[in-house]
């Protein structure tokens, strides 16, 4: 029984470069979430998929950010033209079908992005 | 206004003693869910415990219990018999309805230090 996995665990890039992160959810989970966490803060919601459909995007998700979940399994988060303000931990979570309020999300280890 | 407030940036507890981590929340909904997560230095968010707004009993999971006081809008986490491995960040979160769907909002966290 494997949990949520994310790759890479760490990414250092130069400002202006594009980066892509991958998330593999728990296999039977049909919901997948992306969050961003900066130092000293809790996770902030970015976007949410149910199967392959992207149902919700935060206003935090600027035009430079795009997320996909093409086959309803793994997901990718791409950041184009990275800025120093994008430096953060990017967390992925998944959950199984449940009531909307009781939706318990299980998180991956995160990808720590540093933009120089 | 903050939706989730964790007023203790840091807490110290002696090993084997109990500790309470505070969480207050703000919502006008009747139906909502409350969660606690643990985040060790490795970065992964670990689900600890869930309390539904309609649950009459306080939730318990092993050494974790949630002291739910609905009228006061508080959902404090109680850790009994603290262990050195409990040293971590702890986040309180609330899932509620908003325009367009549901969302999970996290507090800023409390860092717990367990002393030997």
């Amino acid at each position: 029984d494997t949990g949520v996995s994310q790759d890479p665990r760490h990414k250092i890039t130069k400002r202006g470069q594009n980066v892509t992160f991958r998330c593999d959810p728990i296999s039977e989970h049909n919901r997948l979430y992306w969050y961003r966490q900066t130092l000293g803060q809790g996770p902030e919601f970015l976007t949410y998929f149910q199967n392959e459909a992207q149902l919700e995007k935060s206003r935090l998700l600027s035009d430079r950010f795009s997320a996909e979940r093409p086959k309803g399994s793994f997901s990718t988060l791409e950041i184009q033209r990275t800025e120093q303000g994008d430096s953060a931990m990017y967390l992925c979570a998944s959950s199984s079908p449940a009531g909307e309020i009781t939706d318990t999300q299980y998180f991956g280890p995160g990808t720590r992005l540093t933009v120089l | 206004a903050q939706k989730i407030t964790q007023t203790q940036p840091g807490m110290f507890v002696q090993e084997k003693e109990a500790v309470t981590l505070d969480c207050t929340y703000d919502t006008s909904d009747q139906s909502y869910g409350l969660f606690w997560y643990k985040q060790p230095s490795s970065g992964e968010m670990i689900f600890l415990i869930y309390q539904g707004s309609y649950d009459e009993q306080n939730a318990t999971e092993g050494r974790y219990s949630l002291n739910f006081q609905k009228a006061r809008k508080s959902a404090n986490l109680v850790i009994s018999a603290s262990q050195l491995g409990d040293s971590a960040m702890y986040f309180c979160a609330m899932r509620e309805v908003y325009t367009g769907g549901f969302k999970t909002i996290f507090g800023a966290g409390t860092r717990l230090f367990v002393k030997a």
Side-chain angles (χ1 to χ4, degrees):
Chain A
D1 180 26
T2 56
V4 179
S5 62
Q6 292 186 246
D7 184 68
R9 294 290 306 275
H10 303 272
K11 178 70 176 179
I12 299 174
T13 191
K14 293 183 179 179
R15 189 176 54 186
Q17 297 294 306
N18 299 344
V19 295
T20 300
F21 309 142
R22 176 179 171 126
C23 171
D24 286 88
I26 293 171
S27 58
E28 64 268 25
H29 286 184
N30 70 338
R31 294 179 178 177
L32 188 147
Y33 300 80
W34 285 99
Y35 290 85
R36 182 172 69 188
Q37 185 179 23
T38 52
L39 205 60
Q41 299 296 320
E44 295 175 292
F45 170 78
L46 291 178
T47 190
Y48 154 59
F49 291 85
Q50 181 148 316
N51 299 311
E52 65 275 9
Q54 188 174 20
L55 296 186
E56 203 174 321
K57 290 195 296 185
S58 164
R59 282 172 288 183
L60 292 175
L61 215 64
S62 75
D63 292 346
R64 297 184 297 105
F65 287 71
S66 63
E68 294 183 343
R69 195 183 183 197
K71 297 182 180 179
S73 56
F74 73 92
S75 175
T76 58
L77 177 68
E78 180 183 17
I79 308 174
Q80 295 182 328
R81 304 181 303 282
T82 51
E83 301 172 357
Q84 288 182 326
D86 297 331
S87 295
M89 176 78 89
Y90 290 84
L91 294 165
C92 176
S94 70
S95 64
S96 63
E100 289 291 353
I101 290 295
T102 59
D103 186 59
T104 299
Q105 296 168 35
Y106 295 88
F107 284 79
T111 295
R112 184 170 295 284
L113 173 66
T114 303
V115 182
L116 302 176
Chain B
Q2 291 290 327
K3 283 280 192 175
I4 299 287
T5 302
Q6 296 182 252
T7 58
Q8 307 150 313
M11 286 282 287
F12 286 87
V13 65
Q14 195 68 38
E15 192 180 10
K16 299 180 185 177
E17 292 185 351
V19 63
T20 298
L21 306 183
D22 295 341
C23 173
T24 57
Y25 58 92
D26 179 25
T27 183
S28 56
D29 291 343
Q30 296 301 309
S31 179
Y32 51 89
L34 298 159
F35 303 80
W36 277 92
Y37 285 86
K38 171 184 178 182
Q39 188 176 41
S41 55
S42 59
E44 184 171 349
M45 299 276 287
I46 301 167
F47 166 70
L48 296 178
I49 196 166
Y50 165 80
Q51 178 87 41
S53 59
Y54 290 116
D55 295 340
E56 294 185 353
Q57 301 283 336
N58 285 343
T60 60
E61 289 286 349
R63 294 187 298 111
Y64 304 108
S65 60
L66 201 152
N67 184 359
F68 181 44
Q69 298 188 40
K70 193 170 183 176
R72 299 176 68 175
K73 294 187 178 178
S74 75
N76 298 338
L77 177 70
V78 180
I79 305 174
S80 63
S82 297
Q83 301 172 357
L84 295 178
D86 293 335
S87 294
M89 283 291 289
Y90 288 82
F91 291 96
C92 178
M94 176 176 66
R95 187 161 175 85
E96 62 169 356
V97 177
Y98 81 110
T99 305
F102 295 80
K103 63 180 177 181
T104 303
I105 304 163
F106 288 80
T110 295
R111 183 169 293 281
L112 178 66
F113 299 92
V114 180
K115 299 181 291 184

